[in-house]
Amino acid sequence: MDSNQQHIQEELNISPEEAGQRIDQYLTNLFAEHSRATWQQWIKQGHVKINGHDTKSKTLLKGFEMISIDVKLEQAVDHQSEKMDLDILFEDEYLLILNKPVGLVVHPGSGNPTGTLLNGLLALNDHQVMLPRAGIVHRLDKDTSGLMVVAKTTETQNKLINLLKTHDIKRQYLCVVRGQISQSGTVNAAIGRHKTQRIKMAVNFDGKSAVTHYQPLEVFDHFSYLQVELETGRTHQIRVHMHHLGHPLVGDPLYGNPKRVDPSVNDELKVLIRQFPRQALHAQQLTFDHPITHKSVCVESPLPSDLSDLLSELEILDLKNNDFDEMEVEYCE
């Protein structure tokens, strides 16, 4: 089989028991890896025939017909494949979950035509090229580390996208923010494009609904270590919502002015914070019911060394608020 093209060539005999269904619905049920809209397009283009004749999507099956299918699937992405040493923590025939390192761009774009995660996924197998965005269903910013789920089949990709839309994939993050947050809370504030700075997002009443839940794990004199769970998945959501609360992420170059440090912070800590090279954000856990096998999937990524070192330094400098009781956090069993 050509890695850039697949061919669906089938002849199907309709039984009396299958009568009464629309042909587009029948084909969608039979070939679940392709959406109903895709089958409607193929029927319109003449790639599906009943008894040798063109048909319409709304045609009802009567029984004893012969359906002929002749569809050539062209590749969905046109980018260069590149072998990469991807850190894959879970994989089966339907999907994989990988640990994205800091600095890896997810999609090719202006200034990044190669060297992205998408390029690396295309080198994994012959099927990723057939999937939109090479199977990617959500993204992380370049300098955010952690877990991403990637589909390996069209059916899985469609179902994962639906799980994200219905908030049935639990995405848990860890981050370090400026200021003290000693109580759990929720930010429910719509996010849209910034009115004047187009590369930024902002809380905007005309934007899309965005909900972020947060819980403190440790509180220091001037900083807090949080566990954050996304209910929605807007661009820069955690970064925008924390900035909106007045607690931007440490090291965030877009929303936090990483060089600005409270004057009361001691000199050693000022250097530590100013030198932290990226937003202190890590996608730590993904939990969901597998869209095909329906088994529970729960994958964790260890805290990367730069964030672990930052927390250790905060503790060594004895900035921890001793009056704060650490809260219990549930992780995968």
Side-chain angles (χ1 to χ4, degrees), residues 139 141 189-210 234-237 239-240 254-255:
R139 62 181 297 169
D141 297 329
I191 291 176
R193 188 67 59 181
H194 194 283
K195 296 296 186 182
T196 58
Q197 302 177 56
R198 304 306 293 171
I199 64 170
K200 295 177 66 173
M201 307 299 289
V203 168
N204 184 335
F205 293 112
D206 296 327
K208 295 181 179 179
S209 172
R234 307 305 174 201
T235 300
H236 299 172
Q237 179 171 320
R239 299 166 68 185
V240 171
L254 200 57
Y255 299 99

Side-chain angles (χ1 to χ4, degrees), residues 133-147:
R133 301 171 301 284
I136 294 169
V137 297
H138 65 120
R139 62 181 297 169
L140 295 176
D141 297 329
K142 174 184 175 182
D143 289 327
T144 297
S145 56
L147 298 176

Side-chain angles (χ1 to χ4, degrees), residues 73-285:
L73 303 178
E74 300 296 332
Q75 66 183 50
V77 290
D78 187 21
H79 294 286
Q80 178 181 333
S81 67
E82 300 176 52
K83 286 192 176 297
M84 291 184 185
D85 186 18
L86 298 175
D87 184 13
I88 297 174
L89 303 184
F90 174 90
E91 184 173 14
D92 62 16
E93 61 185 299
Y94 306 107
L95 59 85
L96 62 88
I97 298 175
L98 59 86
N99 191 26
K100 188 190 85 67
V102 173
L104 180 61
V105 176
V106 172
H107 294 105
S110 177
N112 296 289
T114 59
T116 72
L117 174 61
L118 184 146
N119 298 111
L121 290 172
L122 293 177
L124 284 181
N125 56 59
D126 291 341
H127 306 296
Q128 300 303 131
V129 73
M130 308 302 298
L131 304 176
R133 301 171 301 284
I136 294 169
V137 297
H138 65 120
R139 62 181 297 169
L140 295 176
D141 297 329
K142 174 184 175 182
D143 289 327
T144 297
S145 56
L147 298 176
M148 291 182 60
V149 59
V150 177
K152 296 173 67 176
T153 71
T154 304
E155 180 183 11
T156 305
Q157 187 172 29
N158 291 335
K159 289 186 174 182
L160 284 173
I161 290 171
N162 286 332
L163 287 177
L164 286 167
K165 287 181 179 177
T166 56
H167 315 310
D168 289 320
I169 296 182
K170 180 180 177 182
R171 289 170 289 169
Q172 186 171 289
Y173 292 72
L174 300 174
C175 64
V176 180
V177 302
R178 295 169 180 267
Q180 292 184 316
I181 297 179
S182 57
Q183 293 185 336
S184 300
T186 296
V187 185
N188 187 347
I191 291 176
R193 188 67 59 181
H194 194 283
K195 296 296 186 182
T196 58
Q197 302 177 56
R198 304 306 293 171
I199 64 170
K200 295 177 66 173
M201 307 299 289
V203 168
N204 184 335
F205 293 112
D206 296 327
K208 295 181 179 179
S209 172
V211 180
T212 303
H213 308 283
Y214 59 89
Q215 174 181 331
L217 304 181
E218 290 186 89
V219 176
F220 305 95
D221 280 352
H222 299 280
F223 302 93
S224 299
Y225 177 38
L226 307 180
Q227 175 183 289
V228 180
E229 185 176 332
L230 290 181
E231 189 170 312
T232 54
R234 307 305 174 201
T235 300
H236 299 172
Q237 179 171 320
I238 294 174
R239 299 166 68 185
V240 171
H241 273 173
M242 290 299 105
H243 176 263
H244 178 65
L245 285 181
H247 297 282
L249 271 63
V250 167
D252 193 329
L254 200 57
Y255 299 99
N257 192 345
K259 302 300 181 184
R260 182 182 298 164
V261 183
D262 190 307
S264 63
V265 173
N266 69 46
D267 292 341
E268 189 175 355
L269 183 53
K270 284 180 182 178
V271 172
L272 175 69
I273 297 301
R274 286 171 176 164
Q275 289 182 347
F276 197 77
R278 52 110 171 186
Q279 62 263 13
L281 180 63
H282 177 65
Q284 185 259 346
Q285 184 184 109

Side-chain angles (χ1 to χ4, degrees), residues 12-69:
L12 308 170
N13 291 304
I14 303 302
S15 68
E17 291 78 16
E18 295 167 322
Q21 300 180 65
R22 283 176 51 133
I23 187 171
D24 58 348
Q25 187 61 58
Y26 169 78
L27 292 173
T28 302
N29 292 336
L30 194 63
F31 300 92
E33 66 270 25
H34 304 295
S35 68
R36 187 170 182 176
T38 298
W39 279 113
Q40 289 173 345
Q41 186 67 22
W42 287 340
I43 291 170
K44 186 176 181 180
Q45 293 170 347
H47 297 303
V48 178
K49 299 182 185 298
I50 296 181
N51 297 329
H53 300 289
D54 290 343
T55 186
K56 295 182 178 180
S57 296
K58 64 182 180 180
T59 298
L60 297 179
L61 299 177
K62 299 176 181 179
F64 301 105
E65 300 100 319
M66 170 72 77
I67 296 179
S68 302
I69 304 170

